[in-house]
Amino acid sequence: MGLRGHVDGMEGRYVVGWALGGHGNATITIATSGGEQLTTGRASRHRPDLASLGLGRTTLAFRIPVAFGAAPQHLHVYADGEELPGSPIITGSGRFDLYCTLEAATISGWVTERAADFTPPEISVIDQHGRAVGRGTACAQAAPADPLFTPARFVIELDDGCFGAERLLHVQVAGRTLATLPCHLTLAGHLETITPETVSGWLISPEAPARRFGLDIRRDGKTLAWMRCEHAREDVRGRFPGCTTPGFSANLKPLPPGRQSCTISLHLAGGSELFDGPYLFASRAAAVAAAHRLASHGATTPLPDAERAVLQQALQDFLLKTRQQDRFIVSRIANAPPPPRLVILIPVYRGVEITRDCIESVLAQSGDALLLLINDASPEPGMAEMLAGYAARPDIVVLTNATNLGFVRTVNRGFGFAAGADILLLNSDTILYPGALQELHRVAYAEAEIGTVTAMSNNATVFSYPHVELRRAQLPDIGWAELAQAALVSGAGTYADTPTGHGFCLFIKAELLARVGRFDEAFGRGYGEENDFCTRAAGFGYRNVAAGGVLVEHKESISFTTEKSALLAQNLPRLNALYPEYTPVIMEFERQDGLRRLRWGLDRLRLERAARRQHFVLLVGNHLDGGTAKAMDDIEQRIGYGGATKLHLSGIGEGMMELSCDAPLLRARFMADETEALFRLLEAADPSHVLVHQLLGFDAGLIARLGAWTRTRHGVFYAHDFYAACPRVTMIDAVGRFCGLTSSDTCARCVAMDGAHENSVLNTLTPAEHRTLFGALFTAFRHVVTPSEDARRHLARAFPAQKIEVLPHPESRTRPITRPRAKNVSEIVLLGAIGPHKGSHQLQEIARLARLTHPHLHFRVIGHTNIDTALSAIGNVTVTGRYAQEDLKSLLAATKGWLALFLSAWPETYSYTLSEAVRAGFLPMVPDLGAPAERVRAARYGVVFPFPSPAAAVLETIDGVITGRIPALGKNVSLAQFFSATAARRGADILALHRPSLAVVE
């Protein structure tokens, strides 16, 4: 074992410390800087406190006398020839040594100076906020027993201001801290009477029960009277033995004539406020008048109807209660005085190195803040030693829980210790970057009603960047330090209201903490306590906000690694029981992405950086399932984008839009009125191509803006449906008929009867305006394409001046086409999501009639319908339910039949379900309407029956196919005709995004 030890200082003319050498008790040598040896000794004295170091024995201390002159000297202390930590010791005038202890509210001890003679100095006691809480002068001994140790003794009684909260007391001589003592003097008491004219109650400290406290009584913030606890209270003495006169009582001067209201508060002589004051008193007349003024203000101030209704009802309830009593009373109404320096509170439990990184990141920018580290009885070896290494710094306080208290109680201990200060609650697994503290403070005091401020982070639920659903330890394109600096520049001074804060990095104003109180310890070891706290804060009218200029790296709940799920399961029900509105509010906040604006600046920076290295294509669509999404996948798989990076702009419902990308990873959301912010991000990426696949769900402003913006780019509009011409998309009218694209006037009556498509947000436009909007949009695109000639003809009727090209979907050729199935009449398959526009009600009619006329037929829906229960009740229809795409092949293989029936009531523009049925070997039967009929005729495979056809006619067609009366196969059958042979190459030509090596395989 190597040398261990330390030089602790001096006791008069003795050098003291301890040392453990490699072979028994170490030899101690003391020498000057010039190498002159002054004295020697051995480290062999007993010192009981060394037992806590786990050294195996306690006889390792030394106390060696040394002679020194009046001039300053550097005394070097060696153990077995090796200099000890704490060496050298500097002697001379003004160099003091001190020892002291704290008992109850008294500090006593001794002080010496490293000089031949010294004058006993003044002793000051300063708390962690820099406030003087005790003072006294040491007194020299008349006849010291040891002439080499002649200390001056002192006894200092602490001020009343030391009571009621945990303190860390710095005992100072000549402005230098020579000892630091933890102090926790609690208060117990009760305010029994408080009126504008009378106060009474009792107050004691269990740690110093004989203490007689002095109290200031203040009216409207000014001292009205001073009194001491001097009344005997036998009832209190029975609970707290040793107390003498804990009671207090005072009669105050009457209020001046005409005064209708006042505040009354009680303070310790040191200034701390007691009993959750101050208390506001108002006469009944004054309270009613105040309510009337507030009601008048609410009536003349523009408020949403719901807020005005809540205010009015609350005031009515208040007036009803006030008129039944003489006086209105409320506590905690005044603002707190300006807080002392910021306290950064870090509870510590696990992760030695990650905690060290956190501490160092704070110290790099903490300024005059006090760093409070609370070791919650960490089980990790090395944690206590690591924290002890910081304890000597004047700007750091290290507290240690005797037993593990859990996160909530540990934080509350910190709240008590830092009473009266602003607090930054910080997880020990975070990294704070430069400027964060100043920006958090700036936002906290931007508006008086702000109570808490939460930073943004890489990993903090709704406060996460790039998005709540995209939490990452690292981003490939940029580091968190650089991103934090960018946030400080782009988001300085910005903030957004949130329904709650997050305890990973939560700035809490002193005023709020004084009014709301501490964390609720019913939340046990943690999770949900900050949500409860912030909800209580909102009840007092405080705002919880997020700071857009602060990004803090969060390495994920080190202390709760194995407990998180259990704690959430335990505490979320409690939170929802207390606040039934909490979960719905959070869900709506997440749906709207309430912090979206705070992320845009960083999104723009990263897109600009990416655009220097890569080029983008913009794909515009929506969140709906169906053929459009499949077509987009096929275009990407078979054609690709020439190495360009995809930007997705999606309509996600209710007029909201989302811009997303995988490289750089981002997801930015926008409301309909935030179009310009969206286009600022698009300008940053500067995509060369704009490929629009769907605009259902986008508002008119976005569509018009998109057209103007696309004119300078390569634009391709894929018309996958008829939304451009028909607000209902399918051209099925209000009475369920295919209208064939009627006039604008008839279309207007149709929409008035039954509405536009449920996802359309163009409802303020007339059908004529709707078509005009899309007609103007089309002129901005180089190509407007449809997947079938039938679709082209319909759109051409609505937009006769527009060139519209036919481009079938380039379906994947990797899946083989199964040979046609053998005839089997036991089942007829229908495929997909079958609503009214796909013939669900016609299927119901056919199935009901078949029970009478074709009892041998059975219909199997592989998918779902809008009338599953009604169809299943008929007895000859089976509905398998929704399926995943990867399960479709096996579902089709398990079907016994060979006919695939299609009953669409609108002219589908392509039909992927037709492709799937043909691939699986089914013979398609389609109505003479839209692309399915066009594709069946081109391939000369399948049956086309008249549209519309009544149920009996459809069954007759099925009979004809089964008996062979209706031919189903042409002379030159080519199943490959269902899949265009040139679609991929023509699609690549239209996109004009070829890489030199691009080869489209047909």
Side-chain angles (χ1 to χ4, degrees):
M1 178 185 293
L3 178 70
R4 297 182 64 183
H6 191 268
V7 180
D8 295 331
M10 298 191 70
E11 295 177 0
R13 291 178 178 267
Y14 293 95
V15 176
V16 296
W18 65 273
L20 175 62
H23 304 285
N25 297 96
T27 298
I28 306 300
T29 303
I30 302 175
T32 65
S33 295
E36 178 187 357
Q37 182 174 309
L38 300 178
T39 188
T40 62
R42 293 188 68 80
S44 58
R45 292 172 62 89
H46 170 64
R47 217 170 83 181
D49 62 302
L50 295 180
S52 64
L53 299 179
L55 300 174
R57 51 195 173 124
T58 60
T59 54
L60 303 169
F62 58 83
R63 188 171 187 262
I64 301 172
V66 63
F68 50 80
Q73 284 184 286
H74 286 67
L75 305 181
H76 295 265
V77 184
Y78 302 89
D80 290 343
E82 185 176 341
E83 191 163 11
L84 288 171
S87 172
I89 292 178
I90 305 174
T91 68
S93 178
R95 302 284 178 175
F96 295 92
D97 294 282
L98 177 144
Y99 170 81
C100 61
T101 59
L102 170 66
E103 291 186 15
T106 302
I107 295 178
S108 59
W110 56 260
V111 61
T112 62
E113 188 175 16
R114 299 172 187 175
D117 298 301
F118 80 100
T119 301
E122 291 284 335
I123 311 294
S124 299
V125 183
I126 309 298
D127 72 4
Q128 67 267 27
H129 300 305
R131 295 175 293 207
V133 294
R135 62 214 53 81
T137 302
C139 297
Q141 291 179 283
D146 183 350
L148 298 182
F149 180 53
T150 57
R153 304 282 179 175
F154 60 88
V155 177
I156 297 175
E157 192 79 13
L158 296 177
D159 295 346
D160 287 354
C162 278
F163 289 81
E166 188 170 1
R167 310 284 183 191
L168 201 67
L169 305 180
H170 304 289
V171 184
Q172 296 184 346
V173 177
R176 293 182 59 196
T177 297
L178 299 183
T180 299
L181 302 171
C183 174
H184 196 184
L185 300 170
T186 60
L187 288 173
H190 183 57
L191 184 62
E192 294 169 334
T193 304
I194 183 165
T195 73
E197 297 83 21
T198 305
V199 293
S200 66
W202 58 269
L203 183 69
I204 73 155
S205 170
E207 291 80 21
R211 181 87 173 208
R212 299 171 63 198
F213 291 103
L215 303 178
D216 284 326
I217 306 173
R218 302 179 186 178
R219 180 187 285 165
D220 295 327
K222 297 180 180 179
T223 298
L224 186 67
W226 187 92
M227 64 179 176
R228 189 173 291 281
C229 295
E230 55 187 7
H231 300 300
R233 291 287 299 262
E234 293 302 321
D235 57 331
V236 179
R237 292 179 64 180
R239 294 172 55 191
F240 300 97
C243 69
T244 55
T245 57
F248 62 84
S249 178
N251 294 317
L252 309 178
K253 292 189 298 185
L255 281 174
R259 282 286 299 278
Q260 297 292 312
S261 65
C262 70
T263 62
I264 300 292
S265 59
L266 281 76
H267 296 250
L268 282 176
S272 300
E273 190 153 35
L274 298 169
F275 305 116
D276 294 333
Y279 289 81
L280 170 70
F281 293 86
S283 68
R284 178 163 45 202
V288 170
H292 286 167
R293 287 193 297 272
L294 185 58
S296 175
H297 178 72
T300 58
T301 301
L303 291 174
D305 290 343
E307 292 183 14
R308 178 174 285 107
V310 169
L311 175 63
Q312 291 172 343
Q313 184 60 53
L315 289 174
Q316 288 301 311
D317 294 342
F318 172 80
L319 287 169
L320 180 63
K321 180 179 178 180
T322 300
R323 287 170 175 142
Q324 296 172 357
Q325 56 193 24
D326 293 333
R327 189 180 274 133
F328 165 67
I329 310 172
V330 65
S331 66
R332 292 179 176 173
I333 48 82
N335 291 335
R341 62 175 174 167
L342 172 70
V343 173
I344 304 169
L345 168 58
I346 304 180
V348 176
Y349 185 59
R350 291 190 182 275
V352 174
E353 291 306 318
I354 204 170
T355 301
R356 191 197 312 274
D357 292 343
C358 174
I359 293 171
E360 290 296 330
S361 77
V362 172
L363 293 178
Q365 59 156 321
S366 56
D368 65 347
L370 176 70
L371 178 55
L372 174 59
L373 307 170
I374 306 183
N375 182 356
D376 190 19
S378 172
E380 292 193 1
M383 181 67 81
E385 184 177 357
M386 185 272 288
L387 294 176
Y390 291 101
R393 291 190 49 154
D395 54 349
I396 298 180
V397 172
V398 178
L399 303 179
T400 300
N401 296 339
T403 60
N404 181 256
L405 301 180
F407 181 79
V408 177
R409 292 171 65 194
T410 298
V411 170
N412 279 347
R413 182 184 182 188
F415 285 167
F417 183 85
D422 289 338
I423 291 177
L424 177 63
L425 177 59
L426 192 66
N427 275 18
S428 62
D429 58 349
T430 58
I431 298 294
L432 211 62
Y433 293 108
L437 294 179
Q438 295 84 349
E439 183 64 15
L440 287 168
H441 185 276
R442 174 184 181 183
V443 170
Y445 286 90
E447 296 185 64
E449 63 269 24
I450 291 177
T452 73
V453 185
T454 301
M456 301 295 287
S457 176
N458 64 304
N459 182 18
T461 61
V462 298
F463 300 90
S464 299
Y465 180 85
H467 189 265
V468 61
E469 297 174 358
L470 298 177
R471 300 193 288 273
R472 295 291 188 273
Q474 298 293 334
L475 292 175
D477 60 307
I478 192 169
W480 296 118
E482 186 177 359
L483 205 59
Q485 185 59 38
L488 196 61
V489 173
S490 67
T494 64
Y495 51 92
D497 286 280
T498 62
T500 185
H502 194 307
F504 88 101
C505 180
L506 183 67
F507 188 105
I508 305 172
K509 288 165 75 170
E511 172 191 340
L512 171 64
L513 195 59
R515 184 167 298 188
V516 174
R518 303 179 185 183
F519 282 175
D520 185 349
E521 294 185 0
F523 285 92
R525 292 187 55 78
Y527 279 102
E529 70 286 340
E530 74 263 52
N531 313 95
D532 165 77
F533 179 85
C534 291
T535 304
R536 284 188 280 136
F540 279 99
Y542 288 95
R543 292 163 60 190
N544 304 300
V545 304
V550 183
L551 189 139
V552 172
E553 185 178 356
H554 186 203
K555 298 181 184 294
E556 179 59 62
S557 305
I558 290 295
S559 297
F560 296 109
T561 301
T562 59
E563 294 183 274
K564 181 175 180 179
S565 298
L567 291 172
L568 284 171
Q570 172 183 308
N571 287 340
L572 283 180
R574 173 177 176 79
L575 192 66
N576 285 317
L578 289 169
Y579 313 106
E581 77 284 359
Y582 179 78
T583 294
V585 167
I586 291 293
M587 291 177 64
E588 178 61 15
F589 186 80
E590 289 185 358
R591 187 192 70 79
Q592 294 189 12
D593 192 6
L595 301 183
R596 60 189 183 278
R597 292 173 176 265
L598 302 186
R599 299 185 181 98
W600 293 339
L602 297 182
D603 291 339
R604 183 174 183 180
L605 165 73
R606 294 172 62 217
L607 285 171
E608 287 174 342
R609 286 166 55 108
R612 301 186 196 117
R613 306 184 302 270
Q614 63 201 68
H615 69 284
F616 290 92
V617 294
L618 176 64
L619 309 180
V620 184
N622 61 24
H623 66 299
L624 301 176
D625 295 329
T628 298
K630 178 69 169 63
M632 293 173 71
D633 287 341
D634 283 344
I635 291 171
E636 180 176 353
Q637 295 300 320
R638 293 217 63 206
I639 301 173
Y641 301 114
T645 301
K646 297 177 296 177
L647 269 176
H648 287 275
L649 176 59
S650 302
I652 58 175
E654 300 184 38
M656 289 188 68
M657 300 165 286
E658 180 178 278
L659 184 67
S660 61
C661 187
D662 291 335
L665 183 66
L666 61 84
R667 185 179 299 175
R669 289 188 174 177
F670 305 86
M671 293 294 190
D673 61 352
E674 296 167 342
T675 297
E676 288 308 310
L678 163 63
F679 277 92
R680 281 194 290 273
L681 261 63
L682 292 176
E683 288 286 355
D686 194 22
S688 60
H689 287 59
V690 180
L691 313 178
V692 175
H693 290 273
Q694 182 59 265
L695 289 175
L696 183 61
F698 291 89
D699 80 338
L702 181 282
I703 293 173
R705 183 75 170 83
L706 181 65
W709 186 75
T710 301
R711 290 187 184 278
T712 58
R713 291 166 170 80
H714 188 104
V716 180
F717 189 100
Y718 296 90
H720 297 288
D721 56 33
F722 301 109
Y723 183 53
C726 172
R728 293 168 62 84
V729 177
T730 60
M731 295 189 289
I732 296 177
D733 65 19
V735 295
R737 304 174 307 168
F738 170 54
C739 72
L741 195 61
T742 62
S743 67
S744 296
D745 290 342
T746 304
C747 188
R749 291 192 293 272
C750 173
V751 170
M753 286 178 63
D754 198 39
H757 190 281
E758 61 183 1
N759 290 291
S760 176
V761 293
L762 302 181
N763 303 325
T764 60
L765 302 182
T766 66
E769 292 168 337
H770 181 109
R771 293 177 187 176
T772 298
L773 175 68
F774 276 91
L777 175 71
F778 287 164
T779 64
F781 286 78
R782 297 190 187 184
H783 302 277
V784 177
V785 299
T786 65
S788 65
E789 174 60 29
D790 182 84
R792 187 202 67 77
R793 285 196 299 268
H794 286 298
L795 280 178
R797 291 180 56 201
F799 307 101
Q802 178 64 46
K803 177 185 177 183
I804 302 173
E805 305 167 60
V806 176
L807 178 65
H809 296 319
E811 289 197 58
S812 172
R813 300 294 297 276
T814 58
R815 289 177 53 199
I817 301 172
T818 303
R819 293 178 59 186
R821 289 182 165 218
K823 285 188 178 182
N824 185 327
V825 300
S826 58
E827 284 186 336
I828 296 173
V829 68
L830 295 95
L831 185 61
I834 302 176
H837 65 299
K838 293 289 185 75
S840 58
H841 294 293
Q842 188 180 18
L843 172 60
Q844 184 179 31
E845 295 176 8
I846 292 169
R848 288 174 59 84
L849 181 59
R851 284 293 305 273
L852 299 176
T853 61
H854 294 71
H856 58 288
L857 294 182
H858 190 89
F859 301 89
R860 177 177 291 272
V861 177
I862 298 179
H864 63 98
T865 75
N866 63 310
I867 51 172
D868 286 353
T869 301
L871 288 171
S872 298
I874 298 173
N876 60 354
V877 180
T878 298
V879 181
T880 65
R882 298 176 186 270
Y883 58 83
Q885 187 62 33
E886 58 268 24
D887 297 330
L888 179 57
K889 183 178 179 181
S890 60
L891 288 169
L892 288 168
T895 302
K896 299 175 183 178
W898 67 293
L899 290 179
L901 179 62
F902 295 84
L903 297 171
S904 183
W906 74 289
E908 294 190 67
T909 59
Y910 187 72
S911 182
Y912 277 105
T913 53
L914 174 62
S915 299
E916 294 292 349
V918 171
R919 283 187 190 279
F922 287 88
L923 181 73
M925 294 180 56
V926 302
D928 193 4
L929 181 70
E934 182 180 309
R935 295 178 67 194
V936 166
R937 287 194 175 98
R940 301 177 62 79
Y941 178 72
V943 175
V944 178
F945 58 88
F947 177 84
S949 288
V954 175
L955 288 171
E956 180 63 26
T957 301
I958 292 172
D959 272 341
V961 173
I962 292 173
T963 60
R965 289 185 291 103
I966 299 177
L969 298 173
K971 292 182 179 180
N972 299 306
V973 176
S974 174
L975 296 184
Q977 284 296 106
F978 277 96
F979 314 100
S980 171
T982 61
R985 187 168 298 282
R986 289 184 55 223
D989 291 339
I990 284 175
L991 285 180
L993 264 169
H994 297 288
R995 287 173 292 175
S997 60
L998 178 65
V1000 179
V1001 179
E1002 298 298 349

